[in-house]
Structure formats: C-alpha cells, structure tokens
Amino acid sequence: MVVQWFAGFGAWNWMILGTVLLALEILTPGVYLLWLGIAAILTGLLSFALWEAGFWVWQVQILVFLALSMVSVLAGRRAFPTTGTADTDQPLLNQRELQLVGRTATLEEPIVEGRGRVRLGDTLWRVSGPDLPAGARVRVVTAGSGELGVEQA
C-alpha cells in the first residue's frame, strides 16, 4: 500500500508537501522545516522537468528529496548561522543562578552535613558548603542544578 502511494507520488504532490512543510514552519519554533519544504518544492520542480524520463521513479525521487534536504539544511546553516554564539553585554541574562555567584547573604537555615538554605532576594535557595550556624554570612562561589555552593564570607 505504501509502495503504491509512493509510486503515484507526482510533481504536484511534492509541491503540496513543500507548501505544507512551509506552513508548518510558521506554526513551529525553529527553522528546520523551512529547508525540508524548500527541498520538497525543488523535488517537485525536478519532477515537472523529468516526469517523462524512465529513470524518474519514486525511489529516485525520494533519494533526490533526501539529498536536497541535506544540501538545503547545510546551506541554510551556513547562510544563517546560529545567533546564540554572538557576544552580548549581558551574557548571564537568562541564567539566574549564575548571576548570584559572588553575592553575599545571611543563612536562613544552618548548613548541617553540607546542606542548608539562604535567602537571596525573594527566593530561598538550597546551598551546600561547610557546616555553619543560621545567621552566618556566606558568599556564593558556585551555582548549578538549583543549588548554590557557598563559603563563609
């Protein structure tokens, strides 16, 4: 059944698939479906040109689509590199834990067996460090996984 469906997959089907992928790109985050949609449309255009050729069977069409998908994804990544690597004036903007490194605070709960709690701003944070009594001043030295590493200030 799948083979019959693919065997009847003509040029217009590729164009429709490409259009659907481009429409889905609008609804989903990222830019990945854009390149697959372009590859499907290019495969459809090739199908219009090569439909009468004896070698243009559905298996070749699938291989051409896969190859064009890889080429379009690689070309897109080269033409539009990711913006996450750009320098910024606020590198810790969405990394709240890392923004706390270097701050000092007073322990809300004592650090017992390496674990305690400290209030920074309006949030009570779990901390790890040397055993200290409640009310001791600590400095945040590390942050990660929702826990702050502290030392006595």
Side-chain angles (χ1 to χ4, degrees):
M1 181 170 156
V2 173
V3 173
Q4 291 174 335
W5 183 75
F6 274 119
F9 212 66
W12 283 110
N13 296 91
W14 284 112
M15 300 299 274
I16 291 169
L17 176 64
T19 304
V20 167
L21 287 170
L22 292 177
L24 286 173
E25 177 63 39
I26 294 171
L27 301 174
T28 59
V31 189
Y32 193 71
L33 293 177
L34 171 69
W35 311 117
L36 297 179
I38 290 171
I41 289 174
L42 290 175
T43 305
L45 292 175
L46 282 172
S47 292
F48 280 126
L50 300 173
W51 193 255
E52 298 299 321
F55 68 89
W56 195 249
V57 293
W58 69 271
Q59 294 94 336
V60 173
Q61 292 176 39
I62 296 291
L63 290 176
V64 167
F65 170 69
L66 293 175
L68 287 173
S69 294
M70 289 191 317
V71 167
S72 64
V73 166
L74 292 175
R77 289 185 74 179
R78 181 172 288 253
F80 304 104
T82 59
T83 58
T85 60
D87 291 334
T88 177
D89 60 340
Q90 296 184 1
L92 301 177
L93 180 63
N94 291 321
Q95 300 175 16
R96 185 171 180 211
E97 290 175 340
L98 295 178
Q99 292 175 3
L100 300 175
V101 173
R103 291 190 53 188
T104 57
T106 304
L107 285 175
E108 289 277 322
E109 297 176 13
I111 299 178
V112 178
E113 295 180 10
R115 301 280 187 234
R117 293 194 186 272
V118 68
R119 181 172 302 280
L120 285 165
D122 62 349
T123 305
L124 196 60
W125 291 87
R126 287 183 312 188
V127 295
S128 62
D131 289 354
L132 295 169
R137 297 285 296 164
V138 292
R139 179 182 300 107
V140 178
V141 291
T142 62
S145 302
E147 185 172 286
L148 305 175
V150 297
E151 63 183 17
Q152 189 168 10

